[in-house]
């Protein structure tokens, strides 16, 4: 077939997909659609240049009325339904920790462990979503949920702040109990 709506195994061009659906974010410069059943369309992105991209938990698609999607056999008018949010993910994150650097507070010149004001700077390999944490005022509880300290006590009180999308600064407020 011509890649029409609901034709099983029919491949839809980007133009066909765009004439049938609108998206909350651009899927890029190239994609196709293939109906694998009368109820399932698989969209394959072939060129993600200029994409939104589609982010799970926020991305939605809406049927364009002129796309002529109807029940089968067609008995009702065209739908203009909007999907729920995109579920799933696109695989494991490639983000790694590039560096983890400790520094003593100003005025501390001898080695003796953490002191109040010591800092740890964690730098990631690429921009992050900041773990959905605030830019400043990140609590110990939030940091403990973010990092597995591997049974190392880094103090009884510490806070964090994102200095940019790749860099998290942790400040030791009370080093009591640090190992």
């Amino acid at each position: 077939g011509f890649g029409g709506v609901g034709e099983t195994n029919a491949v839809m061009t980007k133009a066909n997909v765009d004439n049938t659906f609108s998206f909350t974010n651009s899927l890029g410069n190239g994609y196709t659609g293939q109906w694998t059943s009368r109820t399932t369309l698989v969209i394959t992105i072939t060129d993600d240049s200029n994409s939104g991209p589609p982010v799970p938990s926020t991305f939605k698609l809406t049927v364009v009325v002129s796309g002529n999607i109807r029940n089968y056999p067609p008995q009702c008018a065209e739908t203009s339904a909007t999907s729920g949010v995109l579920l799933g993910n696109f695989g494991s994150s490639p983000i790694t920790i590039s560096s983890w650097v400790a520094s003593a507070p100003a005025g501390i010149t001898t080695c003796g462990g953490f002191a109040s004001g010591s800092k740890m700077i964690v730098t990631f390999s690429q921009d992050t979503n900041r773990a959905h944490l605030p830019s400043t005022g990140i609590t110990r509880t939030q940091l403990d949920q973010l990092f597995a300290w591997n049974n190392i006590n880094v103090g009884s009180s510490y806070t964090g702040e994102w200095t940019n999308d790749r860099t998290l600064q942790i400040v030791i407020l009370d080093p009591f109990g640090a190992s």
Side-chain angles (χ1 to χ4, degrees), residues 119-123 128 130 134-136 138 160-171:
K119 294 179 183 178
M120 295 183 288
I121 309 294
V122 182
T123 305
T128 70
R130 298 183 181 204
S135 293
T136 61
I138 301 169
E161 95 177 27
W162 288 98
T163 59
N164 59 50
D165 288 340
R166 289 183 188 211
T167 309
L168 176 64
Q169 176 178 270
I170 300 168
V171 178

Side-chain angles (χ1 to χ4, degrees), residues 22-176:
S22 64
F23 305 99
T24 52
N25 298 43
S26 170
L27 292 178
N29 290 341
Y31 43 90
T32 60
Q34 183 171 13
W35 291 97
T36 59
S37 73
R38 290 200 178 273
T39 60
T40 304
L41 175 69
V42 176
I43 298 174
T44 303
I45 299 171
T46 57
D47 179 357
D48 66 354
S49 302
N50 299 313
S51 69
V55 177
S57 300
T58 61
F59 182 81
K60 292 182 179 185
L61 62 87
T62 299
V63 177
V64 177
V65 173
S66 62
N68 198 29
I69 291 187
R70 300 170 181 244
N71 61 322
Y72 185 81
Q75 299 168 343
C76 301
E78 300 87 354
T79 185
S80 60
T82 297
S83 71
V85 296
L86 178 65
L87 301 175
N89 62 64
F90 296 108
S92 298
S93 173
I95 296 173
T96 60
I97 295 175
S98 297
S99 65
W100 187 24
V101 178
S103 65
I108 301 293
T109 58
T110 60
C111 183
F114 285 126
S116 181
S118 293
K119 294 179 183 178
M120 295 183 288
I121 309 294
V122 182
T123 305
F124 294 92
S125 58
Q126 59 183 307
D127 288 353
T128 70
N129 66 352
R130 298 183 181 204
H132 299 292
L133 294 172
S135 293
T136 61
I138 301 169
T139 67
R140 174 187 173 168
T141 300
Q142 291 169 315
L143 291 167
D144 289 348
Q145 290 171 348
L146 186 60
F147 295 106
W149 299 113
N150 296 324
N151 297 319
I152 297 172
N153 184 344
V154 294
S156 61
S157 180
Y158 40 93
T159 187
E161 95 177 27
W162 288 98
T163 59
N164 59 50
D165 288 340
R166 289 183 188 211
T167 309
L168 176 64
Q169 176 178 270
I170 300 168
V171 178
I172 306 302
L173 303 175
D174 184 351
F176 178 74

